[in-house]
Amino acid sequence: VRCPPLFCPDPIRPEEGDCCDTCLEDCRVIFCVEPTCSNPVIPPGRCCPVCPTTPDPDCAAVLCEQPDCDNPVVPPGECCPICPITLPTPTTPPRPLDCDRIQCFPPNCPNPKLPEPGECCPSCLEDCAVISCLLPTCDNPITPPGRCCPVCPSLPLPTVPPPIDCEGVGCSFLNCPNPIPPGPGECCPTCIEDCAVTLCLRLTCDDP
């Protein structure tokens, strides 16, 4: 009897009435995944090593859900794939800034905000060149860091509206003799009344 060549590391010995060893798999076309145990074994006739304490489960009647990952794996002794557990990559701390080489411009506020980690220069939260401050009604006003105007210690910090770019804004014609100047967040003056449709009565006082 001439036996065919076998392509598995541990062929199955012939049973009674057989002459040739046999393989259950052709290892030339099978890609093996390394098992997670320290003492894997290769079953007779098979190609890939398995953990000796992990029996092959009967997965024919198991309905598995597809895991939400690109590289699911099937744990030894299980039927359904799972997403592998990946440990977070340790982050490298940022390099310290060389503030000796950085030139800081003079801040335009009386109490600049101190540099935070990753910064070198003090900063202002407001541009004090365009802000007019009102005197607070307390005896011990303070100027918060980065702000322009003093406030009373018990009052919340004022909110700063975002600057508006009025360049290119076309204001409509106003039909009143003394328009109201634009307020914060506005670009155009306004009229409370439309003088084109308002009939004024002549005043009888000496100083109209």
Side-chain angles (χ1 to χ4, degrees):
V1 177
R2 186 174 182 179
C3 296
L6 300 176
F7 299 98
C8 61
D10 187 14
I12 299 176
R13 299 295 178 260
E15 297 181 357
E16 186 178 355
D18 295 333
C19 295
C20 298
D21 295 346
T22 56
C23 287
L24 299 177
E25 300 169 334
D26 185 356
C27 297
R28 295 175 300 176
V29 296
I30 291 181
F31 177 75
C32 296
V33 178
E34 189 70 23
T36 57
C37 56
S38 59
N39 55 342
V41 296
I42 300 177
R46 301 288 183 177
C47 298
C48 298
V50 295
C51 295
T53 57
T54 305
D56 293 333
D58 184 11
C59 299
V62 178
L63 182 62
C64 298
E65 295 183 0
Q66 184 65 26
D68 189 15
C69 58
D70 297 331
N71 54 341
V73 296
V74 179
E78 301 291 338
C79 294
C80 296
I82 61 174
C83 293
I85 300 176
T86 56
L87 298 177
T89 303
T91 57
T92 304
R95 297 175 55 188
L97 293 177
D98 186 6
C99 294
D100 295 336
R101 295 186 173 185
I102 296 179
Q103 180 181 2
C104 296
F105 293 97
N108 194 14
C109 57
N111 186 16
K113 185 170 67 73
L114 296 179
E116 297 183 356
E119 299 176 347
C120 291
C121 299
S123 59
C124 294
L125 301 176
E126 302 168 332
D127 185 4
C128 298
V130 297
I131 292 181
S132 179
C133 298
L134 297 177
L135 185 64
T137 59
C138 57
D139 297 332
N140 54 343
I142 60 173
T143 302
R147 302 288 183 174
C148 297
C149 299
V151 295
C152 295
S154 59
L155 296 178
L157 293 180
T159 58
V160 180
I164 296 180
D165 185 9
C166 294
E167 184 178 358
V169 176
C171 297
S172 60
F173 174 76
L174 299 180
N175 200 359
C176 62
N178 188 18
I180 299 175
E186 299 177 345
C187 292
C188 299
T190 56
C191 288
I192 299 178
E193 300 174 334
D194 185 0
C195 296
V197 295
T198 302
L199 179 63
C200 298
L201 299 178
R202 182 179 298 275
L203 299 177
T204 58
C205 58
D206 295 337
D207 188 14

